[in-house]
Structures are given as C-alpha cells and as structure tokens.
Amino acid sequence: MTAFGEEVAASEFDASSSDATPAVLKEYRAMLEAYGRASAARTETDALAALRDGRAAMIRLDARRHGRPVPIDALPPAAGTGRSRALTGTGERHVSTGSGDGAIEVLIDRPEPGRPALLEADVTGEGSFRLQTMTRTEDVTHTGRTLISSIGEYHGRRYLPADATHLRITTTGRRDDIHWSTRVLPLSAATTLTSEHRGHGDEVLRHNGGPALLTVQFRTDTDWSVRYLCECLRTWEACDCRPPAWPKGAPGIPHGWLSDLLTGAGDGRSTLRLPRPGFVTVHEGSGSGSWYLTTQPVDIPPPPPERQGRRR
C-alpha cells in the first residue's frame, strides 16, 4: 500500500488542468477511491483486490492522458462446475500469480507504458498452461498470439508486443498440481547476447554490436524459431532503417526476404544476419531441448548519409 501511495503521489496529476476531461477525472477518482479501500481493508484479500483496482485505474488514467488506447476490463468468467478461477496479485507491481484449474485475463502493467516489454513466466506442477496476448480496449477486441503452451514445468522469457493490453491465461489441473507466476519487465532487462551463448527453452537476448552473423544450432524434438528485431522495435516490413552492404556471398537470407526470422523442426543449424543493435528472440517449443548461438562480427563500413532532397 505504501508503494501504491507513492505511485499515486508521483503521478503529479492536477485535477484542475486543461486535460482533466470527465473521463480522466473518473479514472483519477477511481484510483484515489481504491487507495482508500486498500488502506481501510481488514484482510489481505480485500487489500490486494483494492490495489489491483487502483493500479488498473492508474493504467487507464495514464493511457488517456497520453493519447494511447485505453484498456477495458475483461468480461466476467463463465461459471463452471469444478472450475476455480485463478487468483492473481501478490501486492508486488508487475507480478501476477495463480494456481489450479481455471482461466483469467490479467491486465498488463508495463514498466514503460506504451512500449514492448519482456514477459517472464514460471510454471511448476503437472498441469497444462497456455498464455495468449489480448488487445481489449474501448475500440478493439482482438486475440493475439499464443506465447506459451506447455505441459508440466516451464521457465522462460518471451517478447511482449506493445499493442497487447491483457494476458489470457488458461490452466488445467488441480490446485496442488499447477502453480504459475508472470512478471513484466522492461526490455532493458534482457540478457546481453555474447559471442557464445547456450540455453534452453525461450529467451530474449539483447544484441549490442554492429553487423554480425548469428549461427544458431538446436538440439530438440520440436519446432524452434529465432527472430531478430531492430532496435527501432518495428517489424521487418515496417522497419525503414538502412540495411548494411553485406559482403557478396555472406551467409543468411538477403534483405528483402523474410530476413529477420529462422524456423525449423528437430535438430537444426542455420545463420541469421544481425544488421545493427536490437533484440534476438529464441523459441524452443518443448523447453527440454537446447540451443547454442555463436556471433561473428562483420566489418562493414557504415552507409553514407542520405542526401536531402531539394524542397519545392
């Protein structure tokens, strides 16, 4: 509650300012009301519920003030015999937890509002776990990709796109069979890619160097993929950063093809071009396989500056 109170004070919102529209004031009052309920709560469950409502109001308030899509609450879960709704909330910001059989949508609280993030998930037990992204705003409702689908234990990190507003989590298993937690981190928390990197399962790595060739090797019995994302955080279709002049015959897929993605199934080896600093996402479906990445810098002079066209 102390941390939430500090967040409320740091919002520096002036209810008399010109941007204090009726919708903005509604979220501001909801945030203060939730803080009051949390302070007066007599049980941990009531305090956590109030904190969750307060942070949701804070997220909507920030979105309205900065012109971003405003997330809305998910529809209430359908009642079902023998299905208990997963409980979330530990009081720690950016963390959600749950256990047992059920389904829930969790509002994403981003450390950097409006920007992509790093999603860290831990699952223990013998049940199944599925995590999808959702975009649920005042204007759009859209089910995104399945980021995680596992049976049994899972420990990994996935790239969380900026347009997702909720995480839809579906689990099967008795309460003692499966426990899960998710944490949302800024992309700056990604592990730095080194010249030799070994790992298992899913990971997001930060490439800090210049042009390089990334050789990927997988030992697995399932599908795998490796994707490069430019530091501008746009997809390869939308990225307008100038590609380097790769040496003739350099391994990897030439620019103009789907040059940011490698996919395979089973044991495999391939090469991906890393044109500039950015991020590398590694996905290994089973979580029990292994991968080995090696990075070789390529000496390429920077492209000349673009000429400025004459104004008419």
Side-chain angles (χ1 to χ4, degrees):
M1 288 186 290
T2 300
F4 180 61
E6 292 173 350
E7 294 161 17
V8 171
S11 64
E12 297 181 349
F13 176 69
D14 182 1
S16 63
S17 63
S18 58
D19 66 343
T21 64
V24 168
L25 287 173
K26 179 182 177 181
E27 307 298 359
Y28 179 66
R29 294 190 186 106
M31 181 176 67
L32 296 181
E33 187 271 337
Y35 178 67
R37 282 195 291 121
S39 300
R42 296 192 176 188
T43 67
E44 181 180 0
T45 299
D46 290 344
L48 291 176
L51 287 174
R52 182 180 63 241
D53 294 344
R55 288 204 173 102
M58 181 180 290
I59 292 170
R60 294 192 300 267
L61 173 64
D62 189 72
R64 292 188 189 281
R65 293 180 65 193
H66 293 90
R68 294 191 301 270
V70 180
I72 61 175
D73 292 335
L75 297 176
T81 304
R83 294 182 66 85
S84 60
R85 180 176 179 179
L87 298 177
T88 64
T90 63
E92 183 180 355
R93 192 175 181 183
H94 312 302
V95 174
S96 297
T97 63
S99 62
D101 185 69
I104 192 172
E105 283 188 17
V106 179
L107 179 65
I108 300 172
D109 188 359
R110 296 176 181 269
E112 300 173 330
R115 289 178 57 81
L118 194 63
L119 177 68
E120 187 174 82
D122 287 280
V123 182
T124 58
E126 299 178 355
S128 67
F129 177 86
R130 185 184 186 195
L131 185 149
Q132 297 170 278
T133 59
M134 286 289 303
T135 301
R136 195 182 292 278
T137 69
E138 295 176 323
D139 302 317
V140 176
T141 297
H142 172 70
T143 302
R145 297 176 52 206
T146 296
L147 294 186
I148 303 170
S149 180
S150 67
I151 298 177
E153 292 197 0
Y154 174 90
H155 308 281
R157 288 178 162 188
R158 298 303 307 268
Y159 175 82
L160 186 60
D163 60 345
T165 60
H166 295 74
L167 303 177
R168 173 182 285 176
I169 298 171
T170 307
T171 56
T172 58
R174 295 174 305 188
R175 180 166 297 277
D176 293 335
D177 283 347
I178 184 168
H179 298 265
W180 58 265
S181 68
T182 63
R183 181 188 301 269
V184 182
L185 302 163
L187 274 178
S188 58
T191 303
T192 300
L193 177 67
T194 57
S195 59
E196 294 188 33
H197 217 112
R198 301 177 188 270
H200 303 268
D202 299 335
E203 183 60 279
V204 179
L205 303 168
R206 167 79 195 195
H207 172 56
N208 291 320
L213 297 176
L214 178 71
T215 300
V216 305
Q217 300 180 66
F218 279 85
R219 178 169 291 180
T220 181
D221 58 1
T222 188
D223 296 341
W224 56 265
S225 66
V226 177
R227 181 183 290 273
Y228 164 77
L229 183 64
C230 179
E231 62 182 346
C232 72
L233 299 179
R234 293 194 290 265
T235 62
W236 75 277
E237 302 99 331
C239 175
D240 56 6
C241 300
R242 298 185 66 185
W246 293 99
K248 185 175 181 179
I253 303 174
H255 186 79
W257 298 76
L258 191 58
S259 55
D260 67 337
L261 175 67
L262 295 176
T263 60
D267 292 2
R269 175 190 173 101
S270 193
T271 300
L272 182 68
R273 296 179 180 182
L274 307 180
R276 63 187 66 83
F279 297 89
V280 175
T281 65
V282 184
H283 173 60
E284 191 275 315
S286 70
S288 59
S290 61
W291 41 265
Y292 176 50
L293 311 180
T294 55
T295 307
Q296 179 182 357
V298 179
D299 187 13
I300 300 176
E306 294 185 356
R307 289 186 175 182
Q308 298 293 327
R310 179 179 298 176
R311 294 181 178 271
R312 293 186 178 181

